[in-house]
């Protein structure tokens, strides 16, 4: 963790949000591949356990990030990172086909980033 604290706040925030999103993506969608035949409540319990690990990254990311970013900026960063983690996960892990809609969604996110950061 000391290596992380030597990095700029923006990079600390992004790396923690990235780690957080990897856990959360597995919590929300990993059971579709790994536990497809398990009862929903078993998948929910496993997902809940994974999601609890996600908070070990999400909470520090927001606390550290809020020293430099507004809440709106943190949220948009979170959403961009979420899409950046989700698309490769869907394609490579869940074997979903690539759709141009992912590209269009990313372009919308670029617009959101512009508007939320333009007066920063």
């Amino acid at each position: 963790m000391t290596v992380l604290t030597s990095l700029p706040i923006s990079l600390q925030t992004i790396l923690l949000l990235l780690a957080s999103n990897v856990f959360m993506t597995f919590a929300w969608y990993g059971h579709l591949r790994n536990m497809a035949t398990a009862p929903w409540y078993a998948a929910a319990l496993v997902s809940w356990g994974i999601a609890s690990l996600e908070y070990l990254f999400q909470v520090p990311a927001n606390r550290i990030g809020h020293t430099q970013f507004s809440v709106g900026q943190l949220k948009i960063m979170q959403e961009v990172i979420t899409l950046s983690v989700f698309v490769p996960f869907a394609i490579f892990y869940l074997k979903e086909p690539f759709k141009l809609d992912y590209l269009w969604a990313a372009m919308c996110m670029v617009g959101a980033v512009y508007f939320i950061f333009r007066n920063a």
Side-chain angles (χ1 to χ4, degrees):
M1 195 70 159
T2 57
V3 172
L4 188 64
T5 57
S6 66
L7 298 174
I9 288 174
S10 57
L11 191 53
Q12 289 179 49
T13 303
I14 290 167
L15 290 173
L16 287 166
L17 287 174
L18 185 62
S20 162
N21 268 278
V22 169
F23 279 103
M24 204 58 179
T25 301
F26 271 96
W28 284 359
Y29 303 104
H31 62 87
L32 297 175
R33 176 177 167 184
N34 297 332
M35 301 183 73
T37 59
W40 72 266
Y41 51 85
L45 288 173
V46 170
S47 293
W48 186 57
I50 296 169
S52 67
L53 295 172
E54 181 261 349
Y55 284 97
L56 297 175
F57 296 98
Q58 180 69 29
V59 172
N62 286 329
R63 291 177 68 93
I64 292 167
H66 195 251
T67 64
Q68 184 172 328
F69 301 107
S70 70
V71 174
Q73 290 170 331
L74 284 169
K75 184 58 181 170
I76 292 302
M77 287 170 56
Q78 170 71 25
E79 296 302 329
V80 169
I81 291 168
T82 296
L83 188 61
S84 301
V85 169
F86 174 76
V87 171
F89 179 86
I91 293 168
F92 297 112
Y93 189 77
L94 294 178
K95 309 295 185 202
E96 295 279 325
F98 176 78
K99 297 179 182 179
L100 281 178
D101 290 341
Y102 295 142
L103 178 62
W104 310 140
M107 295 305 290
C108 290
M109 291 289 194
V110 169
V113 168
Y114 168 76
F115 286 113
I116 206 75
F117 279 93
R118 70 180 165 166
N119 293 323

